[in-house]
Amino acid sequence: RAVHLTAPMGGGKRAIVGDLCRTAISEAEDDVLLWRIQVREEDEGMNVILRAYASLFQAVQRSQAFRGKIEMALNSQIPNQPKRVQGWYQSFIDGVRKSKPAEGGQVQVNLPKDNPLVGLIEIATGIARKFPVILDINGLHNSHSVGVMAFLEALLSEVNDCRLMAILSMEPL
């Protein structure tokens, strides 16, 4: 479920992950969601979670047809979820409908007010129940936040019945 990829700068980490992603999209029978998060040195705590939300929005917006499939998949799960999770799903669906990527791929993101970290985990799990997801977190060595590690631990423990592969890329320190 998780791959820890480490190499010195210029070691070819991005090339390996890029090739894996291209192969997954071209050879998969299902649509594959490529969720790429770039952790920068200046990002800490909630900034990383905000970046994760924004990159998930971008990944879902790759085409109108794919966005529609994601919306349908989450909508179909709403009746079976607790009220709190229903709110997170609906908030994400509404946000995806309203947000349009700007020049440079930037997306305006509205975080759920009720525990955005747990909401992100539930949304990602809901998507991964219906579609294969490749989560590529690059630059993980830049984060020293407990929130980021809690997000990863919770997500990886939550996706037992899902199709999610996490690639954690970092440079050795």
Side-chain angles (χ1 to χ4, degrees):
R1 299 252 184 205
V3 176
H4 178 208
L5 185 61
T6 183
M9 186 76 115
K13 297 181 300 289
R14 297 298 300 160
I16 290 170
V17 172
D19 188 53
L20 170 79
C21 293
R22 280 189 298 280
T23 303
I25 287 175
S26 67
E27 294 181 5
E29 293 176 17
D30 294 332
D31 286 316
V32 176
L33 176 70
L34 300 177
W35 182 15
R36 292 183 153 164
I37 303 169
Q38 176 69 39
V39 180
R40 301 179 308 187
E41 281 186 53
E42 60 268 15
D43 291 340
E44 277 304 320
M46 280 307 291
N47 286 339
V48 176
I49 302 307
L50 181 62
R51 185 173 295 284
Y53 264 104
S55 63
L56 183 57
F57 271 62
Q58 281 181 312
V60 168
Q61 297 274 7
R62 79 171 186 226
S63 76
Q64 289 230 339
F66 187 63
R67 187 187 84 195
K69 290 178 183 180
I70 296 288
E71 287 180 30
M72 285 181 11
L74 289 176
N75 273 324
S76 71
Q77 297 176 59
I78 286 178
N80 303 327
Q81 298 298 326
K83 188 165 182 65
R84 191 175 190 196
V85 177
Q86 289 178 6
W88 288 323
Y89 280 17
Q90 197 58 56
S91 173
F92 182 78
I93 291 167
D94 292 343
V96 167
R97 284 183 185 157
K98 291 176 187 172
S99 71
K100 303 288 183 233
E103 291 294 323
Q106 293 182 337
V107 174
Q108 181 177 352
V109 177
N110 295 323
L111 294 179
K113 292 175 181 33
D114 178 25
N115 200 336
L117 180 61
V118 176
L120 179 60
I121 293 163
E122 290 291 339
I123 292 163
T125 303
I127 293 170
R129 278 190 200 105
K130 302 291 183 179
F131 298 95
V133 176
I134 298 174
L135 170 60
D136 174 22
I137 302 179
N138 192 19
L140 193 57
H141 61 281
N142 290 323
S143 178
H144 306 287
S145 170
V146 173
V148 174
M149 295 309 137
F151 161 70
L152 285 172
E153 183 178 349
L155 181 64
L156 293 175
S157 68
E158 191 70 25
V159 294
N160 291 331
D161 62 336
C162 302
R163 298 178 291 173
L164 180 131
M165 181 174 73
I167 302 170
L168 311 175
S169 302
M170 61 190 324
E171 295 174 17
L173 299 175

